[in-house]
C-alpha cells in the first residue's frame, strides 16, 4: 500500500452510530494529521497526532496512532448528517518544510 | 479565526495560457505550501516555501511551475503554459513553524484548462 492509505474507501452508517476509519502508512512519520473535505470544497484540519502520542481527543473525534503497526484510526462518535464528507489522513515524514502525503480518503455518508 | 484565503475560486483558461493563482496565508505563518487535487484523486504536494525560497518540491513541480511571495502577504503559484492535465483544484496551505505543526488549508482554486 502507499503512504497514507485509508480504509474503507466508503462507509455508510445511520445517524447516531459511530464511524471508524483507518489509515496505514509505510515509512516512519513525524506526525499524522486527519482532514475533512466536503464535496468540492477545501480541506478542514481535524486533529494532529505526533509520533510519540498514542491517542488524542477533540470533541466527538478520537484518533489513535500505533507506530509499531504504522496505522492510525479516526473515530467519530454519535455521527450527524453534517459529518458526511471525505476524510483523509496525511503524514509528514521528514523535517523542515516538508509537504504532507495524503491518502485517497474514506467517503463517509451519514444517513438520517 | 484567521484563515488562508485563495483567489480566484474558479478559473477557466485555454491550453497554453499562463495562470497565476493567489493565496494569502495566515498572517503570522512562515511556511507556505501548494497542493493540487485532480478530480477524484488524492491531494498531492507540489511545493513548500520558506524564507523567500523553495524548501522542497515534488516531481510534479516542473519548470512550468513557479512560486513567488511578491509582497508581505501574497503567495502565488504560476503555471506558465497550461496543459489539459493541469486541470485540478489547487490548495494553498500555511503553517507557523514548519511541518511539525498543523497545516491550514485555503478553500482552493478550481482550474479548468480547455
Amino acid at each position: 500500500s502507499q503512504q497514507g492509505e485509508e480504509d474503507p474507501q466508503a462507509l455508510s452508517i445511520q445517524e447516531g452510530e459511530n464511524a471508524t476509519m483507518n489509515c496505514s502508512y509505510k515509512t516512519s512519520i513525524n506526525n499524522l494529521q486527519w482532514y475533512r473535505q466536503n464535496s468540492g470544497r477545501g480541506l478542514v484540519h481535524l486533529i494532529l497526532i505526533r509520533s510519540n502520542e498514542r491517542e488524542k481527543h477533540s470533541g466527538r473525534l478520537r484518533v489513535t496512532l500505533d507506530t509499531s503497526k504504522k496505522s492510525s484510526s479516526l473515530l467519530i462518535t454519535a455521527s450527524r448528517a453534517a459529518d458526511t464528507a471525505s476524510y483523509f489522513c496525511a503524514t509528514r515524514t521528514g523535517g523542515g518544510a516538508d509537504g504532507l502525503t495524503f491518502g485517497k480518503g474514506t467517503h463517509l455518508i451519514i444517513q438520517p | 479565526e484567521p484563515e488562508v484565503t485563495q483567489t480566484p475560486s474558479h478559473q477557466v483558461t485555454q491550453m497554453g495560457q499562463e495562470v497565476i493563482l493567489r493565496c494569502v496565508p495566515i498572517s503570522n505563518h512562515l511556511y507556505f505550501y501548494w497542493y493540487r487535487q485532480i478530480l477524484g484523486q488524492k491531494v498531492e504536494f507540489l511545493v513548500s516555501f520558506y524564507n523567500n525560497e523553495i524548501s522542497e518540491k515534488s516531481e510534479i513541480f516542473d519548470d512550468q511551475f513557479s512560486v513567488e511571495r511578491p509582497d508581505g502577504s501574497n503567495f502565488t503559484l504560476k503555471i506558465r503554459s497550461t496543459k489539459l492535465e493541469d486541470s485540478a483544484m489547487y490548495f494553498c496551505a500555511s503553517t507557523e513553524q514548519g511541518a511539525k505543526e498543523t497545516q491550514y488549508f485555503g478553500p482552493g482554486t478550481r482550474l479548468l484548462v480547455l
Side-chain angles (χ1 to χ4, degrees):
Chain A
S1 63
Q2 298 179 27
Q3 186 80 349
E5 287 290 321
E6 296 90 343
D7 78 87
Q9 291 185 349
L11 179 62
S12 180
I13 61 174
Q14 295 293 319
E15 196 167 21
E17 294 180 340
N18 296 341
T20 300
M21 289 158 275
N22 302 297
C23 168
S24 60
Y25 56 91
K26 293 184 73 176
T27 62
S28 296
I29 61 170
N30 182 282
N31 65 53
L32 184 146
Q33 306 184 38
W34 283 91
Y35 288 84
R36 184 186 73 225
Q37 184 181 36
N38 291 85
S39 180
R41 306 292 294 276
L43 294 159
V44 175
H45 182 262
L46 298 176
I47 286 186
L48 179 153
I49 187 165
R50 303 188 193 284
S51 59
N52 62 352
E53 296 175 314
R54 292 296 167 259
E55 188 172 312
K56 283 188 85 169
H57 297 255
S58 176
R60 294 184 295 114
L61 306 180
R62 173 177 168 252
V63 167
T64 62
L65 179 64
D66 187 334
T67 53
S68 67
K69 295 181 179 177
K70 291 186 169 58
S71 67
S72 174
S73 68
L74 170 66
L75 168 68
I76 303 174
T77 60
S79 62
R80 305 168 182 166
D83 295 329
T84 294
S86 290
Y87 291 82
F88 298 89
C89 69
T91 55
R92 178 226 168 195
T93 56
D98 278 10
L100 296 173
T101 300
F102 281 81
K104 292 182 179 178
T106 293
H107 185 53
L108 176 65
I109 297 173
I110 309 298
Q111 303 197 21
Chain B
E1 186 175 329
E3 293 179 332
V4 176
T5 59
Q6 290 185 242
T7 54
S9 58
H10 294 79
Q11 181 147 4
V12 181
T13 190
Q14 294 292 323
M15 191 169 55
Q17 294 295 306
E18 174 184 287
V19 295
I20 298 176
L21 309 182
R22 291 181 168 79
C23 168
V24 179
I26 295 173
S27 62
N28 63 331
H29 285 190
L30 301 177
Y31 296 80
F32 315 118
Y33 307 82
W34 283 102
Y35 294 81
R36 79 171 186 192
Q37 185 182 32
I38 295 171
L39 188 63
Q41 298 188 25
K42 62 172 68 176
V43 177
E44 300 173 292
F45 167 72
L46 294 178
V47 66
S48 60
F49 191 87
Y50 169 71
N51 200 25
N52 283 321
E53 61 182 24
I54 290 174
S55 297
E56 184 195 13
K57 59 183 180 180
S58 71
E59 294 176 352
I60 303 167
F61 194 87
D62 61 22
D63 292 343
Q64 292 295 320
F65 293 90
S66 63
V67 289
E68 190 178 28
R69 187 154 165 84
D71 53 45
S73 60
N74 290 286
F75 178 52
T76 62
L77 174 69
K78 181 191 292 185
I79 309 175
R80 288 191 182 81
S81 179
T82 50
K83 308 183 188 73
L84 296 176
E85 54 265 35
D86 293 326
S87 295
M89 181 79 98
Y90 287 81
F91 294 106
C92 173
S94 70
T95 183
E96 187 175 359
Q97 297 182 24
K100 294 180 183 178
E101 305 300 327
T102 298
Q103 291 190 21
Y104 292 93
F105 282 74
T109 293
R110 187 172 294 281
L111 176 66
L112 178 60
V113 182
L114 301 176

